[in-house]
Amino acid sequence: MAASYYNSTVSKPAIPEDAPSGDDLTAHHVKDKHGETVKFHNPHPSFGETLRLTAFAMGRKMIWTRLMGDMKDPDVSAVKIPTVKPTFLSPEGPPPTALRATWLGHACYFVEFPSGLRVLFDPVFEDRCSPVTWFGPRRYTPPPCAPADIPAIDAVVISHSHYDHLSHTSVSAIAARHPGAQFFVPLGLQRWFRESGIERVTEMDWWEDAELVLKAKAGGDAAAAAAAAAAEAKVQTRTPDSIAARVSCLPCQHSSGRTHNDRDHTLWASWAVSSGGKSVWFGGDTGYRAVPRVAEGVDDYGPEYEALPRCPQFAQIGRLRGPFDLGLIPIGAYKPRWIMSGMHADPRDAVEIFKDTRCRQAMGIHWGTWVLTSEDVEEPPRKLMEALKKAGIPEKGVFDTCATGESREF
């Protein structure tokens, strides 16, 4: 079990004054005749009609698309996404002077804030993102580390219930090793966590905020332990007596489900975390605009399609909560576009989301780990650079990708 120098408290989630008003707050709730929320949906036309089909109808469409040769698994036999062994700052030492973010594969990022706060987003360390260990998408890029290699975790943020974003094995291992870690999840997922034996969980709806406060344990445990470790290492420490963070559950455009009969029974979300004067927006998994089937090589952002509805929630996030120092924005799992675009952004969409949310810098997530769709697995970074160039944004240094396990400072 990892040492914890802090006790944490979380305020009751609440809608702040800078949230949208009126029907916007509950437009994503589907209610029964008694007014009780029974499931969730995407309220905007940008989600498209294809993804509103039943699970059976969607499965039939995808099988037919595969039979017609329009959805082929990419070859990963020669693929090698760069991987490095991650380095994490010691919890006994000083916090980083900048925002420090480490990509651990797919949508999983570990972020160390200048305040000393350490947050893990969408941790999945397993070989397969599947309900079983013997079937389903298998990693072609190994995880750069195990949960036990992360020395301190104060909070874990989950975007939604799909297996490539929520792993029972991973969250259980994290909770066991870091019993003080607080889990933040969208509406409907608290029950799943409690049934998994994880009690420190806060469930939130879109636009709700919660304040996370970490305070040094009574008796000076934090300061004493840090000082002792620093003396042994002959370095200075400045472990803070308390750490405060604002955690915000925000909209995105996606779906949820872990079985054949619980589709959209729990909410999906993007998240913002602010602490120590730095802020991160985590896109999780999201679409931006549903596009129709177009001929190969046709630009679905061209004149014929430029008026297609865009999800208005990202500009709303940027206006009400931005700007953000760092955006973690999905760029992969987007082909065939006519099926996937409503719920999975491609690199061009990602750049538009980047601009809408007013992120100062960004890193691409949701690629380079599992075969989930039919694009070449090394295509997303290339397409991202093309999209940045078209948008008049520098191709390097603003919205980047990195090696699995690599850390960047912002």
Side-chain angles (χ1 to χ4, degrees):
M1 184 180 296
S4 176
Y5 302 136
Y6 295 97
N7 290 319
S8 66
T9 59
V10 184
S11 67
K12 183 179 179 180
I15 301 291
E17 291 183 359
D18 62 355
S21 59
D23 293 340
D24 274 0
L25 285 176
T26 57
H28 55 293
H29 289 236
V30 178
K31 299 185 177 182
D32 63 16
K33 62 181 180 181
H34 304 293
E36 297 292 326
T37 298
V38 292
K39 61 188 303 185
F40 303 92
H41 76 139
N42 294 286
H44 300 291
S46 52
F47 186 60
E49 294 304 317
T50 296
L51 291 170
R52 298 186 195 277
L53 297 172
T54 65
F56 176 77
M58 172 59 75
R60 188 172 60 184
K61 268 187 175 292
M62 294 183 73
I63 290 171
W64 179 252
T65 302
R66 192 175 288 274
L67 288 173
M68 292 296 99
D70 295 330
M71 188 174 179
K72 299 177 181 178
D73 288 338
D75 180 12
V76 296
S77 59
V79 168
K80 188 170 179 58
I81 305 297
T83 301
V84 298
K85 184 178 180 179
T87 58
F88 305 110
L89 300 180
S90 169
E92 293 88 6
T97 56
L99 195 66
R100 189 172 187 270
T102 305
W103 186 40
L104 302 181
H106 199 55
C108 183
Y109 247 94
F110 182 67
V111 180
E112 298 161 289
F113 288 78
S115 64
L117 181 74
R118 293 165 169 85
V119 182
L120 184 61
F121 295 90
D122 278 5
V124 180
F125 293 89
E126 281 62 64
D127 188 40
R128 295 187 188 271
C129 55
S130 167
V132 294
T133 59
W134 49 269
F135 183 75
R138 189 169 191 173
R139 282 183 183 265
Y140 54 83
T141 302
C145 68
D149 297 324
I150 304 175
I153 300 172
D154 301 309
V156 180
V157 174
I158 303 295
S159 64
H160 65 296
S161 67
H162 287 158
Y163 285 94
D164 57 324
H165 296 258
L166 175 58
S167 156
H168 181 274
T169 302
S170 288
V171 297
S172 296
I174 290 163
R177 183 167 178 79
H178 304 278
Q182 185 71 32
F183 289 76
F184 292 90
V185 305
L187 279 187
L189 271 176
Q190 179 175 271
R191 180 179 176 182
W192 184 91
F193 274 80
R194 293 273 168 84
E195 290 175 348
S196 301
I198 299 172
E199 295 295 327
R200 298 184 63 85
V201 55
T202 299
E203 184 179 87
M204 297 171 66
D205 198 358
W206 288 354
W207 296 108
E208 286 187 331
D209 282 357
E211 297 298 320
L212 173 66
V213 178
L214 280 63
K215 291 190 175 181
K217 288 182 177 179
D221 290 353
E232 184 178 348
K234 297 182 179 180
V235 297
Q236 286 191 327
T237 180
R238 54 182 178 88
T239 302
D241 291 330
S242 65
I243 298 170
R246 179 192 192 188
V247 180
S248 303
C249 182
L250 297 168
C252 67
Q253 183 170 284
H254 199 57
S255 183
S256 69
R258 293 177 74 79
T259 70
H260 69 282
N261 61 357
D262 70 342
R263 182 180 179 186
D264 298 345
H265 286 201
T266 62
L267 186 58
W268 46 96
S270 68
W271 295 83
V273 180
S274 303
S275 184
K278 291 289 186 177
S279 58
V280 172
W281 180 71
F282 174 63
D285 198 353
T286 187
Y288 184 63
R289 59 196 283 273
V291 302
R293 192 167 191 164
V294 302
E296 185 70 27
V298 172
D299 181 6
D300 60 41
Y301 268 92
E304 187 178 351
Y305 305 105
E306 62 184 0
L308 289 175
R310 302 183 181 207
C311 183
Q313 295 169 317
F314 300 106
Q316 200 174 35
I317 290 169
R319 185 174 68 254
L320 298 177
R321 297 300 175 84
F324 301 99
D325 295 292
L326 173 63
L328 303 174
I329 303 177
I331 63 170
Y334 49 81
K335 285 184 178 179
R337 285 280 283 155
W338 67 278
I339 293 177
M340 297 295 173
S341 56
M343 64 187 298
H344 282 171
D346 77 347
R348 187 77 177 271
D349 296 331
V351 170
E352 296 303 307
I353 292 171
F354 168 75
K355 294 190 299 181
D356 284 356
T357 53
R358 298 175 64 204
C359 294
R360 295 187 177 100
Q361 290 180 267
M363 297 299 293
I365 63 172
H366 207 256
W367 74 282
T369 308
W370 291 287
V371 171
L372 301 175
T373 47
S374 62
E375 75 272 7
D376 179 81
V377 297
E378 295 176 293
E379 180 181 278
R382 298 196 302 267
K383 292 291 186 182
L384 176 61
M385 293 181 68
E386 293 173 10
L388 289 166
K389 185 176 182 180
K390 286 181 180 178
I393 299 171
E395 296 169 48
K396 292 288 186 180
V398 178
F399 189 164
D400 292 333
T401 58
C402 68
T404 309
E406 183 180 349
S407 299
R408 298 278 182 96
E409 292 193 347
F410 303 88

